[in-house]
Amino acid sequence: HEHLWLTPPTTHTDPAHLGLTTTAHPLLGAAVTLAHDHTTVYTGTLSLTTHPWLAHHTVFTTPILPGTAYLDLALHAADHTGHTTIDELLLHAPLVLPENGGVQVQIIVTGSDRSTAEIYSRPDGDTGDWTRNATALLAKDDAGPGFDLTAWPPADAERIGLGTAYDRLTEAGLHYGPVFRGLRAAWRRGDELFAEVSLPESERAGVADFGVHP
């Protein structure tokens, strides 16, 4: 009549217990700064289960991570490595979100005053090569933004009629579901485009956790 209980092995789900830094970003899980060269690596896993709103952005019916998500990831990397400006964002390859399973994501930040943030991905559970999806150039620029939006709409800008914009995008194979149909107004001034975009009510609960919600 003696009770014998097995002691389960200790498991750690908190990144801090693994020597990592917890991130507050919805698309990332943890970060680590390498000791030998101060390179910072951010990691996360994306899927249509954990981030169902990503299914609203498809190219010919295939869910693709939107370009604004790369911008938001680069902003997070910049904010947490002492940078203030994204000088350039280059997209190299699309990140396809599978119907089942997820995708591992890494952001590798190298350099100091002028740094490079490279965004990589590979299918969850895969041990093969990573795909480089995007590269952002980060800088420490205290000059402030190179634009002035205190007057809105911008002076001398011509309003663009939205009309059937989303219908025409769908015909071209770029389908934006309800979550991504946030364009409210747009203007053009020469080569510049200005837009008003707002999130639907269903997505506003976690908006503060993003730099710019994708």
Side-chain angles (χ1 to χ4, degrees):
H1 300 286
E2 182 180 359
H3 292 284
L4 301 176
W5 297 97
L6 296 176
T7 302
T10 301
T11 59
H12 297 298
T13 57
D14 185 348
H17 293 158
L18 304 176
L20 307 175
T21 301
T22 303
T23 68
H25 194 280
L27 303 182
L28 298 171
V32 61
T33 299
L34 306 186
H36 71 290
D37 64 356
H38 301 291
T39 294
T40 301
V41 180
Y42 298 88
T43 65
T45 301
L46 305 179
S47 75
L48 299 182
T49 300
T50 58
H51 304 87
W53 50 270
L54 290 173
H56 290 236
H57 184 270
T58 65
V59 177
F60 294 109
T61 73
T62 299
I64 301 290
L65 189 71
T68 43
Y70 297 112
L71 177 61
D72 186 59
L73 292 171
L75 282 171
H76 181 83
D79 288 342
H80 290 78
T81 54
H83 296 83
T84 59
T85 304
I86 298 177
D87 279 349
E88 190 173 58
L89 177 64
L90 302 176
L91 304 184
H92 304 294
L95 192 160
V96 177
L97 294 154
E99 183 177 348
N100 299 305
V103 177
Q104 301 173 29
V105 175
Q106 283 191 4
I107 308 173
I108 303 175
V109 182
T110 57
S112 55
D113 290 342
R114 186 173 175 81
S115 300
T116 299
E118 294 190 305
I119 302 174
Y120 292 86
S121 69
R122 70 179 180 184
D124 200 13
D126 192 346
T127 58
D129 294 337
W130 293 77
T131 297
R132 185 176 64 159
N133 301 101
T135 299
L137 300 180
L138 314 180
K140 298 179 179 179
D141 186 0
D142 296 328
F147 53 84
D148 182 7
L149 298 181
T150 53
W152 189 263
D156 303 323
E158 180 182 358
R159 191 180 185 96
I160 302 173
L162 301 182
T164 58
Y166 285 111
D167 293 332
R168 287 185 283 117
L169 287 169
T170 299
E171 292 174 0
L174 307 176
H175 179 70
Y176 293 84
V179 172
F180 282 90
R181 297 200 173 202
L183 187 59
R184 299 292 176 257
W187 294 264
R188 185 193 305 276
R189 184 174 63 190
D191 293 333
E192 296 176 297
L193 290 174
F194 304 89
E196 288 182 3
V197 183
S198 64
L199 281 171
E201 287 290 340
S202 61
E203 298 301 319
R204 293 185 183 181
V207 66
D209 296 329
F210 292 92
V212 52
H213 199 299

